Amino acid sequence: MIKAQLQSAIRQFQSWFFQAKNTNPDNVLNQPPKEIIAEFAQKLYQLPQPLKYRTTVQEALNVAIADWQQNPQAANSLVILGSPVEAIAQIVQSSLTADLLGNLQVINPLTQWQRSTDPSALQTVISNALASQLKSPQSVNSQLSERQTLIVIPCLAQCFLRCIQGWEGIEFLQNAVIQDQSRFWLIGCNYWAWTFLNQVCQVSAYLEQVQPLPELAGDELQEWLKPVTTEFKPQEGVELAYWKSLANFASGLSSVAANLWLQALRIRAADTPDAVSEAKPGLIDHDVNLEVTANLLQTNPILPIMPDLITFDRYLLHSLLLHGQMTRPHLALSLGENEQIVRSRVQTLQRAGVIVQQQEQLSLNPAYYPTLKIELSNNNFSVGDK
C-alpha cells in the first residue's frame, strides 16, 4: 500500500510538472483536430495484442495442456488474469494459433454471448449454450489419449452480474469444469471480478490454475506501438526515457499506454487545419489532413486529472470495472439503484471523459485507470490483487 501511494505521489508530481511546464506561453500546444485523433484511435484499436501477452498465454497453456494429457490428476483448467481495462477476451482468442492447438478440438460455446437482461436466467442461458456445443458427453473415466477438447470462455466477467442470483451461472460453470475432466477449459478474467467471485463462490477452489498477464516495459510498449508511432520521434537522446516514462505512467498496461500516448499528441497553433488552409489555399482537405498529421508532435505522457467524484460515482465506477463493460440497465441492477439516477451520473462522467461508450456498452477510459484504482483502494474498495 505504501509503495502504491508513493508511486501515485510521484506520478502526480510528474503530471503537475509537465502541465506546469506547458503553461509557459512559449510551450503551449493545441490538441489535434478530433478527426485526426479518431483516425489514430482507430489505428491503435487495430493493432494486434502485444506479443508478450500472447506468448505468456501460449506458454502457460502449452504446459497446462501437456500436463493434463499426461497426468490423470492434473488440473483441467487455466485462468488468464489481467487488468479490467485490458482486452482479455481478445488476448485469449488471439493467442490460440494453429501451431499451438495442433489436433485439439476447440469449442467456443459463448462466442455470440451477450449477458441476459434477467440475471436469474444467466445459469439457464449458459447451460443451454454449453449443451448445444457439447453434444457428445465424454466419460469421466475416459483415457488420457481421448483428452483432445479445449473449451474457451474468453471473458468470465461477462458471465455474471453483481446482484441477487447474478452469479449462479459461474457456480454452474465451475461445477461443469470439475465434473468433466475429459475437457480442458481456458478462461479469461480480470482481477477485480476474480476477487469478487472468490468472495461469493470461492471460484479459485474450482479453477485453481491461474496465469497473470505480465506488465510491459518501455521497450516492449515501443515495439508494440511502432506501427502507429514510427513517424513520431521524441527529442533526440531521450527516446528510451520517453518509453520508460510511458510504461511508468501506464503501470505496464497496454490499453492505458495507448490512450496516454494518444492524449499526449499535440500540434502547434500555426499547423492547425485553418492556419494551414489560409497559408496554402490551394490545398484540398485530404492534403490538409496529411499535412496536419505530419506536423503532430509526440509530447511527454501525463495522467489525466480525475474530476471530483461523489461517493455514488465511486460505487458506479467500481461496479463498471468489476464487469469490464456493461449496459446502463445492468449497471443500475448491479448498484441496486434507479436507472434514471445511474443515467445522470453516467452522463456526467462521460462528459468528463472518464467513461466511454461503444454501442450500448459502457467502460472506463483506460487513461484514468491508474489514478482511479488508487482512489478506490484508498476508500476501502476491493480492487483485486494486482
Side-chain angles (χ1 to χ4, degrees):
M1 178 65 73
I2 294 176
K3 182 180 178 182
Q5 291 176 333
L6 179 60
Q7 289 176 335
S8 173
I10 292 173
R11 288 169 183 156
Q12 291 299 324
F13 172 76
Q14 290 171 322
S15 294
W16 170 84
F17 175 78
F18 287 126
Q19 288 172 334
K21 183 179 179 181
N22 285 336
T23 57
N24 184 329
D26 293 335
N27 296 325
V28 169
L29 298 169
N30 294 330
Q31 288 190 332
K34 292 181 179 178
E35 295 80 4
I36 301 297
I37 291 294
E39 182 179 330
F40 275 94
Q42 184 64 22
K43 290 181 179 179
L44 291 170
Y45 178 76
Q46 293 173 344
L47 285 174
Q49 297 302 323
L51 178 61
K52 189 173 183 179
Y53 285 170
R54 286 180 282 142
T55 55
T56 297
V57 175
Q58 290 166 349
E59 290 172 1
L61 182 61
N62 200 30
V63 171
I65 286 184
D67 191 24
W68 166 68
Q69 289 179 326
Q70 297 168 14
N71 180 2
Q73 304 304 319
N76 67 324
S77 65
L78 174 66
V79 180
I80 305 299
L81 290 178
S83 159
V85 292
E86 293 287 55
I88 296 175
Q90 289 89 330
I91 293 168
V92 168
Q93 294 285 18
S94 63
S95 301
L96 302 179
T97 61
D99 289 343
L100 173 71
L101 297 174
N103 295 325
L104 283 174
Q105 178 194 8
V106 180
I107 297 177
N108 290 279
L110 304 180
T111 301
Q112 304 299 324
W113 171 257
Q114 284 190 329
R115 189 187 288 119
S116 168
T117 54
D118 178 7
S120 66
L122 279 170
Q123 177 180 337
T124 302
V125 176
I126 291 173
S127 173
N128 290 340
L130 290 178
S132 65
Q133 295 287 334
L134 306 179
K135 295 179 180 177
S136 55
Q138 297 178 352
S139 167
V140 173
N141 299 316
S142 59
Q143 300 297 315
L144 291 176
S145 60
E146 297 176 15
R147 294 185 169 186
Q148 295 293 330
T149 304
L150 173 66
I151 302 176
V152 182
I153 308 293
C155 187
L156 198 62
Q158 291 298 307
C159 298
F160 78 99
L161 198 61
R162 188 181 58 180
C163 63
I164 297 175
Q165 296 183 299
W167 55 85
E168 291 184 351
I170 300 295
E171 293 174 334
F172 174 83
L173 270 176
Q174 62 191 23
N175 287 327
V177 173
I178 289 294
Q179 290 169 4
D180 186 359
Q181 296 290 320
S182 67
R183 296 183 172 94
F184 193 93
W185 298 67
L186 177 63
I187 301 171
C189 189
N190 77 62
Y191 284 108
W192 297 36
W194 189 251
T195 299
F196 171 76
L197 292 173
N198 259 331
Q199 293 170 345
V200 298
C201 55
Q202 295 77 49
V203 67
S204 63
Y206 297 83
L207 311 174
E208 58 188 71
Q209 196 165 214
V210 300
Q211 174 61 56
L213 291 176
E215 292 184 1
L216 301 182
D219 58 339
E220 292 161 340
L221 286 172
Q222 180 184 16
E223 186 65 25
W224 175 56
L225 292 170
K226 186 178 290 184
V228 177
T229 65
T230 187
E231 58 193 282
F232 302 100
K233 300 295 182 185
Q235 187 179 351
E236 188 174 355
V238 299
E239 186 166 14
L240 182 58
Y242 174 87
W243 294 107
K244 283 185 176 179
S245 175
L246 182 64
N248 178 42
F249 279 113
S251 303
L253 301 173
S254 65
S255 62
V256 180
N259 277 271
L260 292 181
W261 177 84
L262 185 63
Q263 292 188 14
L265 282 182
R266 290 293 182 272
I267 187 170
R268 285 186 288 269
D271 296 328
T272 55
D274 287 345
V276 172
S277 298
E278 291 173 4
K280 302 176 182 178
L283 292 177
I284 60 175
D285 289 345
H286 178 67
D287 295 329
V288 170
N289 282 340
L290 287 177
E291 187 154 344
V292 169
T293 301
N295 290 329
L296 292 180
L297 302 172
Q298 183 176 262
T299 66
N300 289 312
I302 60 173
L303 291 176
I305 297 175
M306 181 70 70
D308 292 336
L309 301 177
I310 63 175
T311 301
F312 185 74
D313 293 339
R314 296 191 184 96
Y315 282 102
L316 186 155
L317 292 169
H318 180 261
S319 187
L320 195 55
L321 282 168
L322 192 66
H323 294 89
Q325 60 179 12
M326 61 201 312
T327 62
R328 282 187 182 81
H330 283 155
L331 184 55
L333 273 174
S334 72
L335 293 167
E337 191 54 85
N338 182 284
E339 189 174 338
Q340 188 61 34
I341 295 175
V342 172
R343 181 182 297 277
S344 67
R345 293 312 305 170
V346 165
Q347 287 179 329
T348 300
L349 293 169
Q350 272 188 281
R351 285 196 295 271
V354 179
I355 287 179
V356 295
Q357 181 174 351
Q358 188 171 24
Q359 297 180 338
E360 298 297 320
Q361 298 291 327
L362 303 170
S363 60
L364 180 78
N365 179 341
Y368 286 91
Y369 178 70
T371 305
L372 178 61
K373 181 180 179 183
I374 292 172
E375 173 156 347
L376 292 181
S377 178
N378 290 341
N379 282 277
N380 299 319
F381 284 83
S382 174
V383 297
D385 293 333
K386 194 170 183 179

